[in-house]
Amino acid sequence: MRKVSVKVNGRDFEHEVEPRMLLVHYLREVVNLTGTMVGCNTSNCGACTILLDGESVKSCTMFAVQADGSEIVTVQGIAENGNWHPMQTAFHENHGLQCGYCTPGMIMASISLLKENPDPTEDEIREGLEGNYCRCTGYENIIKSVQQAAGQTS
Ligand code: FES
Ligand code: FES
């Protein structure tokens, strides 16, 4: 077992974990933040996307112990004082989801995308989200959601 200390959504956690435990499983099963989803476990789908020290990361691509000392934000940590993050509002208002399975990862990847490029073109949005798969929506409303969050539509 190895020790991991992290800050997740503003709270400090310290646990002893198996060195082979993936970060996504640590977040879901040890920290009990089940909003972060597991779609593939093979770094393809993006459902497990979180922010690690401000960068979007697929949390199935690393071990929990590799996150030691890091600050993590998951989809459950982006609302403030009971108010949705603007990206959550935009997905809601534009029907940027159907089954919702990809949505936590899609929202985290979209937040990261706008942080790096606050006024992206449609192509840049599609490119920025190419690591996140959605089986339901055809992506059109996801793109609209990101455009609204970027202030490009009313
Ligand atoms: S579960 Fe991590 S990329 Fe699919
Ligand atoms: S809304 Fe179902 S996978 Fe994206």
Side-chain angles (χ1 to χ4, degrees):
M1 301 290 266
R2 292 253 311 270
K3 196 177 79 171
V4 58
S5 303
V6 283
K7 191 184 277 279
V8 186
N9 297 342
R11 283 182 58 199
D12 291 317
F13 294 92
E14 191 170 302
H15 295 103
E16 295 279 335
V17 299
E18 291 278 355
R20 65 181 175 184
M21 176 175 254
L22 295 177
L23 180 58
V24 66
H25 293 142
Y26 172 74
L27 292 171
R28 289 178 53 86
E29 292 158 24
V30 181
V31 184
N32 288 322
L33 288 172
T34 53
T36 300
M37 308 305 269
V38 182
C40 66
N41 254 344
T42 53
S43 76
N44 287 304
C45 76
C48 63
T49 305
I50 54 148
L51 301 183
L52 182 87
D53 294 330
E55 300 284 330
S56 79
V57 165
K58 293 177 178 177
S59 58
C60 74
T61 61
M62 60 188 288
F63 297 115
V65 292
Q66 291 176 293
D68 188 41
S70 302
E71 191 159 337
I72 292 168
V73 179
T74 78
V75 72
Q76 284 166 274
I78 54 175
E80 276 187 30
N81 304 321
N83 297 314
W84 281 345
H85 186 283
M87 192 64 76
Q88 291 174 300
T89 304
F91 270 72
H92 174 66
E93 291 182 354
N94 292 280
H95 307 288
L97 60 136
Q98 287 181 30
C99 80
Y101 203 89
C102 70
T103 312
M106 212 47 103
I107 285 178
M108 299 312 286
S110 299
I111 289 172
S112 173
L113 189 160
L114 289 194
K115 209 158 60 161
E116 281 167 27
N117 180 2
D119 192 22
T121 63
E122 181 177 334
D123 282 350
E124 287 169 338
I125 296 172
R126 289 183 183 276
E127 203 174 301
L129 296 180
E130 69 184 2
N132 291 70
Y133 297 169
C134 176
R135 290 171 162 229
C136 309
T137 65
Y139 298 91
E140 294 304 319
N141 289 352
I142 291 173
I143 307 296
K144 282 187 202 154
S145 304
V146 179
Q147 287 172 326
Q148 176 175 313
Q152 295 173 346
T153 54
S154 56

